[in-house]
Amino acid sequence: MLTIMSNLGVVPQLRRLRRTKWTRQVARAWLRNAVLADEPARRDDVTVLIGVRNRADHRLINALRSIRAQSHPPDLVRPLVIDYGSEPESADRTAEMCAQHGAGYLRVAEPGPWSRARCLNIGLRRADTKFLMTADVDIVLSPGYLADAIDALARSPLSVICSPMLDLPEESTESFVSAAQTGVELPLDHWKQRSARRMDMEFHPSVGVSFTVFLQLIRGYDEFFEVWGGEDRDLMKRLTQLGLEYQPLESGSFYLHQWHPKFQGVSEDATSQRIIANREHAKTTHTIVRNDDRWGRPTSAYREPPR
């Protein structure tokens, strides 16, 4: 069924068939009865994936603190940081921060160009929890976020739970730096009121919670995407083509995006050229399953650390 659904995207005349109500009903029945057959009985553990490169600063500390402050049972929450090519000093600091906050840490020493897709796929392929959340180093979760997302998936399992990206203002930086240094609790509700919804979107595709098996089924993010942009929207498109629905979290829980300069640490020339290539790839590629069977594993471009 998966191969049929994916390959419908290759032929333009058949692409429309994938969007019909009948095809979606068949796909969702298959997902519910075959792919999710054994999932409901499993315990509600969740992996939270964060990809980094040279970001061993207050943003990572605040992100990990917010994950460890979740109301979902702590033993069921497994943060995992994938360090994709940090300089040695930054890598050492990142590993120390992870140890302090009970997060898993994997370092890829020589990965080549930054690719959020390849970075997160390394963790995604290894994940063995029932649920998985894709996040970023600069995301701070409100305390009930994971519990509410998992409750929503219990009601609507063929979903990906998302929320708006609430961008903190630049003037918040001092408070968030101070909180990371002192351990003081951040007044997240206060800062929520001072944040701006990115592009007025109902939800942002870069942060989502769903069953791990769905993301592994389609071989994670498309590893073509490099430098910046495109991999999250592409993943959203493929999951909806598979038969899932993106569902905004309506419980009142939220997440905040810590302020930083756009394209920090990335050459503007490299960014602009790569964005063009990423957009063209997204526009012309219509399969659901991407990458080959080495996805999330070492290639000649990067080296995976020992397990």
Side-chain angles (χ1 to χ4, degrees):
M1 183 65 186
L2 177 63
T3 302
I4 294 171
M5 289 291 292
S6 183
N7 290 341
L8 285 176
V10 176
V11 182
Q13 292 82 355
L14 296 179
R15 207 171 294 152
R16 291 188 293 271
L17 178 62
R18 194 164 59 188
R19 297 194 296 267
T20 65
K21 182 178 180 180
W22 180 85
T23 303
R24 284 188 61 81
Q25 287 176 338
V26 171
R28 287 173 66 83
W30 172 71
L31 290 172
R32 185 181 295 107
N33 297 322
V35 178
L36 286 186
D38 299 324
E39 295 300 309
R42 298 181 59 189
R43 64 182 194 148
D44 291 339
D45 51 356
V46 54
T47 297
V48 183
L49 286 183
I50 297 176
V52 302
R53 176 181 282 188
N54 296 324
R55 292 290 181 268
D57 58 20
H58 68 282
R59 287 169 290 182
L60 177 57
I61 294 175
N62 289 329
L64 293 175
R65 286 182 64 202
S66 78
I67 294 169
R68 279 299 168 215
Q70 291 297 295
S71 60
H72 196 62
D75 63 313
L76 298 181
V77 179
R78 300 185 189 176
L80 175 59
V81 174
I82 310 299
D83 189 335
Y84 196 76
S86 289
E87 296 297 327
E89 183 178 351
S90 181
D92 289 344
R93 290 200 304 271
T94 300
E96 183 179 352
M97 291 175 184
C98 289
Q100 290 173 348
H101 295 90
Y105 174 78
L106 286 174
R107 184 185 180 205
V108 185
E110 299 175 5
W114 167 253
S115 169
R116 183 172 181 264
R118 289 196 291 269
C119 175
L120 292 183
N121 274 0
I122 292 170
L124 202 165
R125 180 157 190 155
R126 291 166 175 265
D128 59 1
T129 52
K130 182 176 179 178
F131 302 107
L132 186 136
M133 178 178 190
T134 56
D136 281 314
V137 66
D138 41 26
I139 296 301
V140 175
L141 305 174
S142 64
Y145 196 94
L146 286 176
D148 290 346
I150 289 170
D151 284 346
L153 286 169
R155 294 190 299 271
S156 301
L158 301 185
S159 303
V160 182
I161 308 302
C162 295
S163 296
M165 178 79 73
L166 302 180
D167 287 317
L168 284 159
E170 184 175 0
E171 58 265 29
S172 67
T173 303
E174 182 177 349
S175 293
F176 278 73
V177 170
S178 176
Q181 292 173 343
T182 63
V184 67
E185 184 176 349
L186 281 163
L188 297 183
D189 288 310
H190 163 78
W191 284 112
K192 177 186 178 184
Q193 301 306 316
R194 302 185 62 179
S195 298
R197 181 182 294 205
R198 183 172 299 185
M199 299 172 62
D200 201 33
M201 297 171 68
E202 184 179 19
F203 63 83
H204 197 279
S206 68
V207 177
V209 187
S210 192
F211 283 87
T212 303
V213 65
F214 291 145
L215 290 99
Q216 293 176 339
L217 193 67
I218 64 173
R219 296 178 179 169
Y221 291 92
D222 186 334
E223 297 185 5
F224 173 88
F225 292 97
E226 290 182 351
V227 181
W228 186 85
E231 79 289 331
D232 47 11
R233 287 177 175 83
D234 177 78
L235 185 72
M236 173 179 67
K237 177 182 72 174
R238 291 158 56 213
L239 288 171
T240 55
Q241 289 170 344
L242 183 66
L244 302 186
E245 296 177 348
Y246 271 73
Q247 183 180 138
L249 189 60
E250 297 177 343
S251 64
S253 290
F254 60 92
Y255 65 82
L256 304 176
H257 174 254
Q258 299 175 80
W259 187 90
H260 61 82
K262 196 170 184 179
F263 304 134
Q264 185 177 18
V266 179
S267 161
E268 290 187 11
D269 290 340
T271 302
S272 61
Q273 290 299 314
R274 192 63 216 189
I275 287 175
I276 294 171
N278 288 343
R279 287 176 176 170
E280 183 62 22
H281 179 74
K283 188 189 305 181
T284 58
T285 309
H286 302 284
T287 52
I288 296 174
V289 180
R290 304 281 174 82
N291 311 313
D292 58 27
D293 60 7
R294 296 170 297 176
W295 72 276
R297 287 180 171 172
T299 70
S300 58
Y302 64 93
R303 186 172 68 245
E304 191 174 15
R307 295 189 69 173

